[in-house]
Amino acid sequence: MNGESQIIRTEYSDLMKKSYIDYAMSVIISRALPDVRDGLKPVQRRTLYDMYELGIRYDRPYRKCARIVGDTMGKYHPHGDSSIYEALVVMAQDFKKGMVLVDGHGNFGSIEGDGAAAMRYTEARLTKFTQEVCLADLDKNVIDFGPNFDETEKEPQVLPMRVPNLLVNGAEGIAVGMATSIPTHNLGEVIDAVKAYMKNNDITTKQLMKYVKGPDFPTGGIVVNKDDLPEIYETGQGKIKIRGKVEVEELKGGKKQLVITEIPYTMIGSGIGKFLNDVAGLVESKKTTDIVDISNQSSKEGIRIVLELKRGADAENLKNMLYKKTRLEDTFGVNMLAVADGRPETLGLKKIIEHHVDFQFELATRKYTTLLEKEKEKSEIQEGLIKACDVIDLIIEILRGSQSVKDARACLVNGITDNIRFKSSISKKMATMLRFTERQATAILEMRLYRLIGLEIEALQKEHEQTLKNIARYEDILNNYDSMAGVIVDDLDAIKKEYARKRRTVIENAEAAVFEEKKVEEQEVVFLMDRFGYAKTVDPSVYERNREAADSENRYVVHCMNTGRLCLFTDTGRMHQVKVMDLPYGRFRDKGTPIDNVSNYSTSEEQIIMVFDSEQMRFARLLFATAQGMLKKVDGSEFQVAKRTIAATKLQEEDHLVSVKVINENQNVVLQTRNGYFLRFPSSEVPVKKKAAVGVRGIRLQKKDELENVWLFEEGTETKVQFGEKEVTLNRLKSAKRDGTGTKNR
């Protein structure tokens, strides 16, 4: 190109599309989704293989996790040490995996959400299960190896997994545009299902479920929607409802306590702390008064969360309340997505087992082909040695008469006697008839003299007989489907016998938790909110006794019902709703709770300008006024909404709400600006608009002036207000029309 750069013209959108698809596929295949054959993501596969390579076996000492992580990152997984260590930690957590693949030594986190210690403190090694079930036969050419990221090492494309690990240990992963979520299952049940499929390839998902009853979570619990499981396992998608296990224990004095001994799988981690907070919240909000004390007595022995009940409490109703109001009953979303034949696919139970069995036959074929080749080589050498023992004197004569190894080999293989001195012509003639193979010749040349002992020759003949038996067996396995299936089943039986354990999760059809809340007795309360935004409600009689102090200390005082809602209007034109029940009810001198704790209101972004009772507002009409002098009336019924926050009015740029008041047709409106202009006009001049409208202009403002106050009074009543140091009598102001400039108060 004569040193000139070449400009390639391309459509930008095409380039972006191609780049994004390449990135997405890379994440899907090489990071986030497990392979259906071994049930492992690349990071897990690489970590286990690296531990195997480093020789960190179950019967050897533990090694520092930092060493494992560093080695894995340097050789196979150049995506950061934290992702490798997190994968290693999860594979060692018995509360997350059906069968742990790594034996961790040190702090590997807890079921309550405590994180693992740093990798420099913890140690690990492979478990016996991993070695025998996930990594066996790697030396028998059973799987393909490919280059690592910099082509300096070889890494396995898949591990020779002998059980359907995708089902046994489940999987969780978020890719680009797709995610996988597969629950854990019982090893023994899964092995039985594989055997059943091998006996009958036409078996249905429903028939397979006689063996795989459903998920088996390491945390136990109860699956309560048994009838939904057949469809979930048929399609690979659905929702499993799981509950914690709750037992009722009798105490002295007729008291009872609820003890949670198993939690839903989804509650692992911070879920336990949230559950305790939720129960405390139910007690604080008086949704239940039956719980006296909550304590988490969990230990290494297992989960034990104790709720002490007061005497006479309805334990069954309370149990249902916990299922209904907390995460003690939760949903596990199933989406059995895995990489099958190089592409992501949602798989049902039968499809996963089918892929697994095909993989097992492929492994067995490659294994026994390799073993057969080795036995045939062995047989060839043994035959040569046996044959050599019969003519050992001749062979010794050849070796003694040879000038070099090359000459001796040529004689043994092809009968060439040119450069060899023989004692007799008979020996030479016999030597020309020798026809050993290259391999046999090498074995003869390397043979030690002790092999000529009678017993050794006998042992060699017995060994050869065994080799011939092995060859016959391996050929039978490779040429006969039933023989190969038998070998695979025997392997599965051995694995089941050693590693299977009882099911932990109960599968049943349970009735939906029915909890009848005690109806709150409706009563009138008084809402009080001080200038710092702390709010509470008190009994009307308490308010009346402290009326003067209440009115002077609080910005807003509103009479309302305890079952109702309050509407908070802010200067940004928004309305926030608060349930009166969410506010603390009690003594007059109680501090209350910040209003932003029980609503979407933000103290840093907006300012409350008025509070109304939602029910009283329903039949009222509200007057809205903004700093730029815009006015409108809106029917209160427009604010009867379910949302916690809505836009109460539309504002122009750089405008804000200054007043929201209840208005009627007989009143006069007085607008007062910051610079002291007053304008009085009848309220009938303000039109009724929708809440989404801007409104009409109420007063013509002078430069750098803005509306500051709005007052309402009825004709014939004397109403005085304070402006600066002066007192202004509103009914003495000259009546004018809306949209005037008003008169300045001097």
Side-chain angles (χ1 to χ4, degrees):
M1 301 300 290
N2 300 323
E4 292 178 14
S5 60
Q6 186 182 11
I7 296 170
I8 300 168
R9 294 191 176 274
T10 182
E11 180 63 40
Y12 187 68
S13 60
D14 291 344
L15 192 68
M16 287 292 289
K17 184 178 175 183
K18 183 183 180 303
S19 300
Y20 189 75
I21 288 171
D22 288 348
Y23 158 72
M25 285 309 292
S26 170
V27 171
I28 290 163
I29 305 297
S30 307
R31 295 291 289 273
L33 299 187
D35 192 297
V36 69
R37 294 170 295 175
D38 63 4
L40 298 171
K41 297 180 192 178
V43 64
Q44 296 170 321
R45 187 179 304 121
R46 287 163 175 169
T47 305
L48 294 176
Y49 179 66
D50 186 75
M51 291 173 77
Y52 171 82
E53 282 284 278
L54 289 172
I56 313 171
R57 314 292 162 87
Y58 77 94
D59 52 357
R60 306 245 184 103
Y62 293 94
R63 294 279 284 279
K64 283 284 183 193
C65 289
R67 171 68 204 275
I68 298 164
V69 170
D71 205 61
T72 305
M73 184 164 61
K75 285 183 182 175
Y76 311 117
H77 197 76
H79 301 294
D81 55 356
S82 60
S83 62
I84 299 169
Y85 186 51
E86 280 165 25
L88 181 70
V89 166
V90 170
M91 287 193 288
Q93 292 177 327
D94 58 1
F95 50 85
K96 278 195 181 169
K97 293 289 176 191
M99 295 296 297
V100 287
L101 302 176
V102 172
D103 177 8
H105 186 238
N107 176 12
F108 274 78
S110 77
I111 196 168
E112 294 183 40
D114 304 313
M119 66 179 93
R120 61 182 177 274
Y121 301 120
T122 54
E123 297 177 330
R125 64 185 177 191
L126 293 171
T127 61
K128 192 180 180 195
F129 175 82
T130 310
Q131 250 176 259
E132 294 185 352
V133 179
C134 314
L135 296 162
D137 302 328
L138 269 175
D139 57 340
K140 296 184 179 72
N141 188 32
V142 288
I143 50 154
D144 292 328
F145 282 77
N148 70 336
F149 63 92
D150 62 359
E151 300 191 0
T152 57
E153 301 275 346
K154 293 281 185 195
E155 63 172 309
Q157 304 294 306
V158 66
L159 291 186
M161 190 73 65
R162 289 156 69 190
V163 296
N165 184 52
L166 191 67
L167 290 171
V168 174
N169 275 327
E172 276 183 16
I174 299 168
V176 177
M178 56 184 73
T180 185
S181 179
I182 304 170
T184 57
H185 293 80
N186 184 277
L187 177 68
E189 291 181 3
V190 170
I191 286 173
D192 288 342
V194 171
K195 285 159 63 181
Y197 173 81
M198 287 173 73
K199 279 182 189 169
N200 173 19
N201 290 356
D202 298 323
I203 194 169
T204 63
T205 302
K206 203 168 184 181
Q207 288 168 328
L208 281 172
M209 289 189 68
K210 288 177 183 173
Y211 306 98
V212 178
K213 308 281 191 294
D216 185 25
F217 297 107
T219 53
I222 306 161
V223 169
V224 294
N225 58 334
K226 185 180 178 181
D227 287 349
D228 297 341
L229 295 182
E231 192 184 344
I232 292 170
Y233 282 108
E234 183 68 56
T235 61
Q237 290 179 312
K239 288 181 178 176
I240 293 172
K241 280 188 183 174
I242 38 176
R243 285 179 183 172
K245 190 176 178 186
V246 186
E247 294 170 357
V248 180
E249 290 183 2
E250 302 281 344
L251 299 176
K252 289 177 184 175
K255 280 189 174 183
K256 292 177 184 174
Q257 62 184 24
L258 289 182
V259 180
I260 296 151
T261 54
E262 291 174 9
I263 58 168
Y265 187 65
T266 50
M267 222 162 97
I268 290 173
S270 56
I272 294 178
K274 189 177 184 312
F275 169 74
L276 295 170
N277 287 338
D278 288 346
V279 175
L282 293 172
V283 175
E284 281 173 22
S285 61
K286 296 193 169 54
K287 290 263 171 37
T288 178
T289 54
D290 289 343
I291 298 173
V292 177
D293 186 40
I294 317 162
S295 60
N296 185 3
Q297 299 172 12
S298 304
S299 64
K300 285 182 180 177
E301 277 66 55
I303 295 290
R304 184 177 167 85
I305 299 167
V306 180
L307 309 181
E308 200 177 313
L309 311 183
K310 71 180 185 188
R311 194 179 281 105
D314 184 348
E316 201 57 41
N317 191 44
L318 198 59
K319 197 193 288 188
N320 284 339
M321 180 192 195
L322 294 176
Y323 288 144
K324 202 85 174 165
K325 300 281 184 182
T326 72
R327 286 185 66 186
L328 197 61
E329 178 177 299
D330 208 354
T331 302
F332 183 96
V334 176
N335 185 24
M336 299 207 281
L337 187 73
V339 176
D341 300 323
R343 54 194 292 272
E345 192 180 336
T346 303
L347 305 159
L349 175 65
K350 184 181 174 182
K351 202 76 178 158
I352 291 172
I353 291 173
E354 192 178 309
H355 276 288
H356 172 74
V357 171
D358 290 346
F359 182 52
Q360 291 312 300
F361 274 94
E362 185 191 327
L363 290 179
T365 302
R366 291 180 66 161
K367 175 183 173 180
Y368 288 106
T369 301
T370 304
L371 288 174
L372 181 62
E373 283 170 8
K374 282 183 180 174
E375 289 296 307
K376 280 183 173 175
E377 279 177 29
K378 209 168 164 189
S379 173
E380 185 185 329
I381 290 166
Q382 287 165 348
E383 281 172 8
L385 292 175
I386 291 166
K387 193 169 148 190
C389 287
D390 293 340
V391 288
I392 195 66
D393 294 334
L394 176 62
I395 289 168
I396 290 168
E397 195 174 331
I398 292 166
L399 294 176
R400 292 188 71 178
S402 298
Q403 298 292 315
S404 66
V405 174
K406 188 181 174 187
D407 293 342
R409 187 186 293 275
C411 182
L412 290 172
V413 174
N414 299 313
I416 299 169
T417 58
D418 294 352
N419 299 323
I420 301 171
R421 282 182 288 107
F422 289 93
K423 287 179 181 176
S424 68
S425 57
I426 297 169
S427 297
K428 189 173 183 178
K429 193 175 182 183
M430 285 176 70
T432 57
M433 296 165 70
L434 293 177
R435 290 293 182 274
F436 288 104
T437 65
E438 284 282 354
R439 203 174 274 127
Q440 287 171 340
T442 303
I444 290 164
L445 291 169
E446 290 173 357
M447 185 174 73
R448 295 184 180 184
L449 289 173
Y450 79 85
R451 298 301 295 266
L452 300 173
I453 299 168
L455 287 174
E456 284 295 322
I457 294 168
E458 215 174 289
L460 181 64
Q461 286 169 337
K462 280 184 181 174
E463 202 179 310
H464 182 53
E465 283 170 24
Q466 186 57 48
T467 304
L468 292 175
K469 282 180 186 173
N470 288 346
I471 289 170
R473 180 168 169 263
Y474 297 155
E475 283 178 341
D476 177 51
I477 289 168
L478 288 167
N479 299 325
N480 190 327
Y481 174 89
D482 290 338
S483 299
M484 190 176 281
V487 168
I488 293 169
V489 168
D490 289 346
D491 270 359
L492 289 172
D493 285 338
I495 292 167
K496 181 183 174 183
K497 187 178 179 183
E498 183 159 2
Y499 300 107
R501 51 162 178 73
K502 285 184 180 176
R503 161 173 280 282
R504 293 172 185 170
T505 302
V506 176
I507 310 284
E508 64 180 33
N509 279 317
E511 291 178 17
V514 178
F515 165 66
E516 289 183 16
E517 289 190 52
K518 291 178 185 173
K519 287 197 173 178
V520 179
E521 194 179 326
E522 195 173 45
Q523 65 177 75
E524 189 185 340
V525 292
V526 180
F527 165 79
L528 304 173
M529 189 176 104
D530 64 19
R531 60 197 176 91
F532 300 110
Y534 281 83
K536 60 178 179 276
T537 57
V538 296
D539 193 86
S541 61
V542 173
Y543 168 70
E544 289 301 332
R545 283 200 302 274
N546 302 276
R547 187 168 194 154
E548 195 175 321
D551 291 349
S552 62
E553 291 172 13
N554 292 287
R555 270 185 75 187
Y556 300 106
V557 178
V558 180
H559 288 261
C560 54
M561 301 306 288
N562 63 343
T563 53
R565 296 180 181 209
L566 294 166
C567 297
L568 283 56
F569 289 89
T570 71
D571 61 344
T572 58
R574 286 191 282 192
M575 181 193 86
H576 301 290
Q577 291 201 83
V578 178
K579 285 182 181 177
V580 178
M581 200 67 75
D582 290 344
L583 295 162
Y585 172 81
R587 295 173 302 187
F588 178 69
R589 284 294 162 203
D590 286 348
K591 191 175 183 182
T593 190
I595 198 76
D596 48 351
N597 281 6
V598 290
S599 69
N600 291 340
Y601 167 68
S602 170
T603 46
S604 58
E605 296 172 14
E606 47 193 343
Q607 189 180 338
I608 295 171
I609 54 174
M610 188 51 76
V611 180
F612 294 111
D613 174 33
S614 175
E615 200 55 40
Q616 292 168 7
M617 202 172 71
R618 183 195 293 266
F619 306 105
R621 190 164 274 174
L622 304 180
L623 173 70
F624 284 76
T626 76
Q628 291 179 7
M630 304 304 287
L631 300 179
K632 67 173 175 183
K633 290 179 195 163
V634 182
D635 284 329
S637 58
E638 281 209 47
F639 301 101
Q640 303 299 306
V641 291
K643 287 184 179 177
R644 289 185 73 186
T645 300
I646 61 163
T649 186
K650 189 176 181 180
L651 294 171
Q652 292 176 321
E653 210 173 315
E654 295 183 7
D655 199 4
H656 64 269
L657 211 54
V658 294
S659 172
V660 181
K661 295 195 172 186
V662 173
I663 190 170
N664 63 51
E665 294 302 315
N666 303 323
Q667 288 176 313
N668 279 260
V669 179
V670 176
L671 306 180
Q672 173 240 309
T673 73
R674 182 173 288 164
N675 292 343
Y677 283 88
F678 284 77
L679 178 64
R680 170 188 167 186
F681 55 86
S683 66
S684 56
E685 290 197 16
V686 182
V688 177
K689 300 269 186 184
K690 293 287 180 187
K691 68 172 184 278
V694 174
V696 296
R697 190 161 59 192
I699 186 169
R700 288 177 183 270
L701 296 167
Q702 306 296 316
K703 270 190 180 179
K704 295 185 180 177
D705 197 7
E706 64 176 35
L707 187 64
E708 192 173 62
N709 274 315
V710 178
W711 288 292
L712 302 173
F713 70 93
E714 290 192 13
E715 201 71 57
T717 59
E718 190 167 297
T719 308
K720 293 181 179 182
V721 297
Q722 200 74 25
F723 174 67
E725 294 177 4
K726 293 181 183 177
E727 196 173 64
V728 179
T729 307
L730 298 181
N731 52 309
R732 288 187 186 171
L733 291 170
K734 182 184 171 187
S735 188
K737 287 195 176 292
R738 177 182 62 77
D739 201 19
T741 53
T743 54
K744 187 155 185 176
N745 191 287
R746 302 191 185 280

